[in-house]
Structure formats: C-alpha cells, structure tokens
Amino acid sequence: MATTSTGKAAPDRSLWADQVGDVATRSSLAGDRRADVAIVGAGYTGLWTAHSLLQADPALRVIIIEAEHVGAGASGLNGGWCVGEIAGGLSAAMVLAERRTGSTDGGARLTREIMSTVDEIGRVTQDEGIECNFTKGGVLRLARTAPQLARQQAEVAEHRYHGFGSNDIELLDADAATARLNATDVLGGMWYSAGARIHPARLVHGLAAAVERRGGEIVERTRATRISAGQPASVTTTNGTVTADVVVRAVEGFTSTLSGHRRTLLPFSSSMIATEPLPPEVWETIGLAARETFADDRRMVIYGQRTADDRIAFGGRGAPYRYGSKIIEDDGPQAIHDHITATLHQLLPATRDAAITHRWGGVLGIPRDWQPSVGIDRSSGLAWAGGFVGEGVAASNLAGRTAADLILERATDLVSLPWVDHVSPRWEPEPFRWLGVTTFLKLTAQADAAEQRTGRASRRGALADRVR
C-alpha cells in the first residue's frame, strides 16, 4: 500500500469512487429473458449505445448485462481524459482508412467526427443533468526531449496537410508551453483543442441513470460467459440466458473473459494516483489555469488532470502483462505506483510535498493492430464496439451512436466511417503473446530512457513500433 507524505496509508481505492460514494445497486438477472437488443457491459460503450438506441426508438426493449456494477471497469476508473482522437491520433486514423478503403480520405473524416464528439458529450451531459465536471480546456502535450519535439512537429505538419488549422492543433514554443504548465525540461509543446476534463465515475453513473429514465434496463452482478450467434442471438450468463435480435459486445478489456474471445483484445493495466487538494499558491506555480489535461510525449504513456477540487490525478502505463491474458482486479504492483509518484514529482517538483491520497488501477483493451472498431454481422445477430487502447471516453460515444445506427439500419454518415466493420487480427497464442508484449514494454521503457539521456531518437523506439 502506498503511503502519503505524512506517513498515512493511501487507500487502494480510486479517487473517483470515493467522491461518488455509495450508489444504488441494481437487481441481478432473474432467469431467462427476451429483448430487442442485449448489450454486454455497463461501461461507456454499452451505455452510449443504449442511450442512442432509446433516443431513436423509445419502444425498444434494451437490456444491459453487467458482471459487477455500472462503471466497475475502465469507464469508472480512467484518467478523465475526454480527447477527440483514436489512439495514435490522425496517423492511426489514416492507416485504418487506407486498410479499409484503399484511401486515406476517411481518416481525416473519422478524426473530425471524434473531435466533434467531445462537444457532443458536453451537450448530452448538460441536457441530461449529468454533473461530471466537464471542462473543455484541451490537451497539452509537452515536448521534453528533442525527439519528442521532432515528433510533435511532424504530427502538426500532418494535421496541416489534411486541413486542420491552428484552432484544432497548435505547436507551442518553450515559453508558451511552460506558461500553461510549469514542468521541468520543457522544450516546447502541442495544444490539441478537442479535449475535456471529466470526472469518470460521475459520467458513467449519470449516463446509466439517463438510460434508465429512457426505459433501458440494467442488470448487475450478472456475469456473461458466452455470446452466441443465432436468430435470435443469445447471451449466456451466470443467472440465465438473454435472447435478442442483436447482442452487442461492449466489454473492452474484459473481452478475454468471454468464451472464444481470449485472443480478441489484450487486457492491459494502467495505474493512477491522486494528490491531496493543492493550495492556490502551488497552482500559481504549476499552471493549468484552463484545466487542460496534460502529458508529455514519452512512449510509455503518462496522463494527468487538475481535478475540480484542485488535486492532480495522474497515471501511466508500465504494469506487466499477465500470462494468458489473465485479469487480476487489483491496483497493480506497488512499484508501479511508486514509479508514477516519482514521475509526477520529477515532472512537477511543486507536488513533492503533497500527500498521495489514493492509488488505483484499471484494465483497458488493445486489439492486435491497435485499431478500434464498431460493427455488426446481421446474419449472426452479433455487434461489437471497442478496442480503444485507453482512449475510449470520447470514442465510446461515437462508437455507441454508430452502433445504434447500424442496429437500426439507418444510412447515416457515421456508418460509412472507416472503423465500421473493421476486424482486427487475433493476438498470438501463448507463450508468443507474453513474449511479444513483454518485449514491447521493455523496448518502450528503454527507448524513453535513451532519448532522455542522449537527446536523440532511439532505435529501440523504432523496433518497438515494429514489434507492436
């Protein structure tokens, strides 16, 4: 267990859960049921899909099946970044579009759609009365080594080439970046407009309540074990079988727990800490006056936000992959949280005297090609959405709206986006999966260390990209 600066133990519990407090539990499934649409997973993806379906057709019988409770997975535990891009940004969207259509044209369209999704989430939270601290301050990514700065310059140039202006994405010099966030070793930075700070647990619980107000049903403590094709399709659970015209798989990092899906998505852990509320004089030193979410451009991802009560919630990757895609729902190794704390202190020295009050972890889902997707196989009655690689807060909304259009057979612009009906290859069987992921993590950490030490682009980084 982590300790605070005062020596008091920091709880192995998320800040978000503590601030939401006790929430009402819902009934479990009681025997076999029939629905029009059954959704497996009461996280953002499943809830946004249900919300969109019921907006379009309030008469639909929609049931959401949840193994634990609403927001038990990444949706209630994430870093609170609502960022308008898929993992890998515009470049990844271009690759996905070219693979799907032979042209990169759809990549820019997908990026613009997900950028506008940030505003759509803000609109819905206002309309539905969801108090989730939504604040659109954009995303600030610092460049703290020469290779990071070069990568940002190339990224902004790519956006410019595809028609994105300075209101969308902007390079910052060292002074401008430091004025926003007074971090160490700043050489420059990049500001991305399509980003908002949210309180993850308040969003997921508020969204669940909105779905129920519209007539959707959520059953908790009902673990799905198998999804089966058919007319109707079905979900086998620990408490009965649900049949439906369409079954939507929306369980992200927990996909590997379903029969036949051990190699569909890789479960991967990310870990977080939260400080005590920081006093105004510390914030005068740090910055983040616009409540920007923040990171730097190291390969081993870090992410942070200034919370509504003036804490820093800060996280990062680096937890080991567990052999066989095993999911252990704990808070991650002590060493990972210690490393995250040390990283925060190195990045923002003004936080060194602040108590660490919370530490926690969550599981995200990674497809073999690192490309998210949403789709439906109408002949089998099965639909899916996910594979967001940790950037699902905004993407899940767009995926949910798209899934609803596909289910209802509506010929909207969303159903022609390049991620629709994309199918990622399966992950390798063990032990090759463990060897590959472990090698990737080591290469990534070594690349960051080499670039920090030498100021030059690391060959290990390029090798890590090939391993991925």
Side-chain angles (χ1 to χ4, degrees):
M1 179 175 286
T3 57
T4 70
S5 62
T6 62
K8 183 180 178 181
D12 293 342
R13 178 173 166 84
S14 82
L15 170 68
W16 317 128
D18 265 1
Q19 292 182 332
V20 168
D22 294 332
V23 295
T25 58
R26 296 167 174 84
S27 299
S28 302
L29 183 70
D32 296 347
R33 292 284 299 280
R34 182 70 166 88
D36 296 315
V37 180
I39 300 170
V40 182
Y44 293 146
T45 306
L47 292 169
W48 282 123
T49 302
H51 187 267
S52 297
L53 285 167
L54 292 166
Q55 269 193 314
D57 185 353
L60 282 174
R61 296 171 297 168
V62 178
I63 185 170
I64 304 175
I65 302 159
E66 169 56 43
E68 296 184 31
H69 58 82
V70 164
S75 296
L77 297 170
N78 65 79
W81 277 45
C82 181
V83 56
E85 64 179 7
I86 66 171
L90 178 62
S91 293
M94 292 293 175
V95 170
L96 176 59
E98 188 166 24
R99 287 176 179 172
R100 293 283 295 138
T101 67
S103 169
T104 60
D105 293 345
R109 188 162 71 91
L110 174 59
T111 300
R112 289 198 179 278
E113 285 287 356
I114 199 166
M115 290 178 75
S116 67
T117 293
V118 177
D119 293 325
E120 169 67 10
I121 291 173
R123 181 193 67 78
V124 174
T125 58
Q126 184 172 19
D127 290 350
E128 295 285 5
I130 300 172
E131 298 291 342
C132 65
N133 308 137
F134 181 96
T135 305
K136 191 180 179 187
V139 181
L140 175 65
R141 281 169 36 203
L142 300 175
R144 300 174 62 244
T145 66
Q148 290 180 16
L149 187 63
R151 288 195 288 269
Q152 288 188 352
Q153 291 167 343
E155 184 174 348
V156 172
E158 181 180 30
H159 278 80
R160 292 287 182 271
Y161 179 80
H162 291 285
F164 294 84
S166 59
N167 289 334
D168 300 314
I169 187 170
E170 182 181 11
L171 275 177
L172 305 174
D173 63 21
D175 289 342
T178 302
R180 287 179 175 264
L181 180 59
N182 186 22
T184 56
D185 303 322
V186 174
L187 301 180
M190 190 182 78
W191 180 76
Y192 189 70
S193 67
R197 185 262 337 252
I198 63 155
H199 189 297
R202 288 176 179 160
L203 175 57
V204 75
H205 287 293
L207 185 55
V211 166
E212 290 174 319
R213 286 196 299 271
R214 293 176 179 274
E217 180 182 1
I218 303 170
V219 293
E220 296 181 330
R221 303 181 310 282
T222 302
R223 186 172 298 278
T225 57
R226 179 184 295 273
I227 295 174
S228 302
Q231 300 293 330
S234 63
V235 184
T236 303
T237 82
T238 50
N239 301 327
T241 299
V242 178
T243 54
D245 297 333
V246 177
V247 171
V248 183
R249 171 171 53 82
V251 287
E252 198 62 0
F254 293 89
T255 300
S256 63
T257 64
L258 294 170
S259 178
H261 285 281
R262 180 60 63 87
R263 293 163 54 196
T264 301
L265 290 179
L266 185 86
F268 199 77
S269 296
S270 197
S271 304
M272 291 198 69
I273 59 171
T275 70
E276 65 183 341
L278 305 180
E281 58 269 23
V282 173
W283 282 113
E284 288 176 8
T285 298
I286 293 174
L288 298 179
R291 306 283 173 160
E292 304 95 329
T293 57
F294 68 93
D296 67 13
D297 260 342
R298 71 187 70 198
R299 292 173 180 272
M300 191 69 80
V301 176
I302 60 169
Y303 49 92
Q305 66 148 286
R306 179 178 179 176
T307 67
D309 61 345
D310 280 339
R311 303 169 186 262
I312 290 182
F314 186 75
R317 310 278 170 83
Y321 164 73
R322 292 182 170 106
Y323 189 91
S325 293
K326 187 176 182 180
I327 298 173
I328 300 176
E329 297 180 61
D330 59 15
D331 298 290
Q334 172 72 52
I336 297 298
H337 285 96
D338 289 345
H339 180 67
I340 290 171
T341 302
T343 300
L344 175 62
H345 292 167
Q346 195 279 328
L347 183 72
L348 300 173
T351 65
R352 286 176 179 163
D353 293 332
I356 303 301
T357 60
H358 296 77
R359 61 188 290 275
W360 70 99
V363 179
L364 55 99
I366 303 179
R368 181 61 185 88
D369 58 4
W370 293 58
Q371 298 281 13
S373 64
V374 54
I376 188 169
D377 179 353
R378 203 161 296 278
S379 65
S380 69
L382 303 182
W384 71 91
F388 302 125
V389 197
E391 294 197 22
V393 178
S396 60
N397 172 280
L398 180 58
R401 287 186 285 133
T402 304
D405 286 347
L406 290 168
I407 291 166
L408 298 173
E409 301 184 77
R410 301 199 302 186
T412 65
D413 289 342
L414 299 187
V415 302
S416 64
L417 291 171
W419 68 348
V420 171
D421 290 337
H422 170 67
V423 178
S424 299
R426 287 162 60 83
W427 281 91
E428 292 81 358
E430 298 291 18
F432 304 107
R433 186 160 71 250
W434 181 88
L435 288 169
V437 176
T438 301
T439 299
F440 168 76
L441 290 173
K442 288 181 177 178
L443 288 172
T444 300
Q446 291 169 356
D448 283 338
E451 290 185 352
Q452 183 70 43
R453 185 177 64 254
T454 68
R456 299 191 299 272
S458 170
R459 293 180 180 178
R460 290 183 180 92
L463 182 57
D465 291 340
R466 290 197 291 273
V467 170
R468 189 178 77 176

